[in-house]
Amino acid sequence: MLKYQQIATEIEKYIEDNKLQQGNKLPVLETLMAQFAASKSTITKALDLLEKKGVVYQVRGSGIFVRRHKRKGYISLLSNQGFKKELEGFHITSEVIELDVRKPTEEAAYNLNMNVEDDVYYVKRVQYMNKKTLCLEESFYNKSIITYLNNEIVSDSIFKYINEGLGLKVGFSDMFLQVNKINEEEAKYLGLETGAPGLYIETIYHLTNGQSFDFSKLTYNYEQSQFFIQANSHFL
Amino acid sequence: MLKYQQIATEIEKYIEDNKLQQGNKLPVLETLMAQFAASKSTITKALDLLEKKGVVYQVRGSGIFVRRHKRKGYISLLSNQGFKKELEGFHITSEVIELDVRKPTEEAAYNLNMNVEDDVYYVKRVQYMNKKTLCLEESFYNKSIITYLNNEIVSDSIFKYINEGLGLKVGFSDMFLQVNKINEEEAKYLGLETGAPGLYIETIYHLTNGQSFDFSKLTYNYEQSQFFIQANSHFL
């Protein structure tokens, strides 16, 4: 983690610890520099990162303000590694159903830009939140990039391992969302009736160099699926 | 629109016109400067904006590459004003069901940080895509900010009017997603059976100064709801 990323995390913690609310003003730059013992450029970079993440907004000539929605129980749709953090107060567990090396499906090979003859790690898990099923997950990892996975890793945070264990940098992702009626198998794993609503999220994860390494398909239990996104003006 | 935003739009158009694919490399900075007749700092700012929007990714020491997913028929979840553009090839129309000035519901007043005694413009519309229902929309606009709306505006792009007509700058938004079974009224408007899956998206839109001005509730027809998000590493 770079210095400004570290400072960004500290400022975020400061906002939470002090229970700052939407619209509250942050201290001025000079105060932040003293408070977090960082240079002006580090603080500026940290604030830019927090703005991108939707944690603060900057009003020209007026200052930096807190963004913090008022709803409890919503999961950040875009944060992955920050997932557990966002879920403070929730208890998340994973049950691994399958983990093996195999050939990808045509769909997975297509989304990972790889050959159907090459190997993937296939992971099937059910994730639980507060002891209720949150989602059924099927993931395909390009084995030439994600060279090793085991049950222990897969039961915990795979992305933490990819980052810290394999030293790879996750760059960006393409997400695809759909809503449909769940099928019999999905219903079984999610503990719902067949035909219940399901939120389907497919994600292709890329390294910073653009290589796609993970194609994941998640089916969310609609009773547990409450997501939020803090979007910025550049999308509007 | 500022110069770098204009250049960003032109670069995006260049990518589309030349049918560049995911992973294709953009010309180097000097070439872009000549091609778009812009300074180095303008091109750099334009590329940063495009990176935030998920249009390109930058690989340090290697260059700038195109991000462009391969799926057709998906709507950008985060682009609002770019909505119609994203839907090229789709034909979108709106049918206004209700438009009046009224007192907000408690829910709307809460989300807009306003008093239940103050006025809102209430808009209820059905949006159609390729002649099939896309979503049912209910929106509440704080009348002290959005001072005037009429049927003509509401039948077209309200955000375009807010920006160009009222001269207001939309800053950021908080989105909340849920999946549930649709009720009888929603089913009627969407042309589906009661209990069918529905994607519910509530959004609170803020001006650049942080003021919330629009609380909108959309219920999407699951048969038409295919969304994509191009997320960046700062979310991961």
Side-chain angles (χ1 to χ4, degrees), chain A residues 22 49 52-53 57-59 67 69-71 74 77-82 110-111 113 170-181 193 196-199 202 204-206 208-210 215 222 225-236, chain B residues 22 49 52-53 57-59 67 69-71 74 77-82 110-111 113 170-181 193 196-199 202 204-206 208-210 215 222 225-236:
Chain A
Q22 176 107 7
L49 177 61
K52 284 182 193 166
K53 286 178 76 178
Y57 62 95
Q58 313 202 22
V59 181
R67 284 185 69 179
H69 67 77
K70 297 178 275 188
R71 301 195 190 185
Y74 284 75
L77 186 67
L78 300 183
S79 288
N80 193 297
Q81 290 183 265
Y110 176 77
N111 282 294
N113 276 322
V170 180
F172 57 89
S173 61
D174 294 327
M175 299 179 73
F176 302 93
L177 282 78
Q178 256 174 292
V179 171
N180 216 328
K181 298 175 183 174
E193 76 279 17
L199 176 64
E202 295 185 9
I204 305 164
Y205 292 96
H206 304 76
T208 44
N209 69 8
F215 173 58
Y222 76 101
S225 304
Q226 300 197 115
F227 295 98
F228 74 88
I229 302 174
Q230 296 183 289
N232 289 307
S233 57
H234 53 266
F235 288 117
L236 299 169
Chain B
Q22 176 108 5
L49 177 61
K52 283 182 193 167
K53 286 178 75 177
Y57 61 95
Q58 313 203 22
V59 181
R67 284 184 70 179
H69 68 78
K70 296 178 278 187
R71 301 196 189 185
Y74 284 75
L77 186 66
L78 300 183
S79 289
N80 192 299
Q81 290 185 266
Y110 176 77
N111 282 293
N113 277 322
V170 180
F172 56 90
S173 62
D174 294 326
M175 298 178 74
F176 301 92
L177 282 78
Q178 255 175 292
V179 171
N180 215 328
K181 298 175 183 173
E193 76 279 17
L199 176 63
E202 294 185 9
I204 304 163
Y205 292 95
H206 305 77
T208 44
N209 69 7
F215 172 57
Y222 77 101
S225 304
Q226 299 198 114
F227 295 98
F228 74 87
I229 302 173
Q230 295 183 289
N232 289 307
S233 57
H234 54 265
F235 289 117
L236 299 168

Side-chain angles (χ1 to χ4, degrees), chain A residues 12 16 68-69 71-94 125-135 137 156-157 218 220-221 223-228 230, chain B residues 177 235:
Chain A
E12 208 174 343
E16 282 177 31
R68 204 157 180 245
H69 67 77
R71 301 195 190 185
K72 301 286 170 214
Y74 284 75
I75 302 168
S76 171
L77 186 67
L78 300 183
S79 288
N80 193 297
Q81 290 183 265
F83 197 60
K84 285 189 181 165
K85 195 180 143 291
E86 298 292 347
L87 294 173
E88 275 177 302
F90 297 108
H91 184 59
I92 301 278
T93 53
S94 285
R125 300 192 293 184
V126 178
Q127 296 198 34
Y128 297 86
M129 184 165 77
N130 301 333
K131 292 181 183 163
K132 285 174 69 181
T133 54
L134 176 64
C135 63
E137 173 187 355
D156 193 34
S157 169
L218 275 70
Y220 282 91
N221 178 343
E223 294 176 336
Q224 297 255 73
S225 304
Q226 300 197 115
F227 295 98
F228 74 88
Q230 296 183 289
Chain B
L177 282 78
F235 289 117

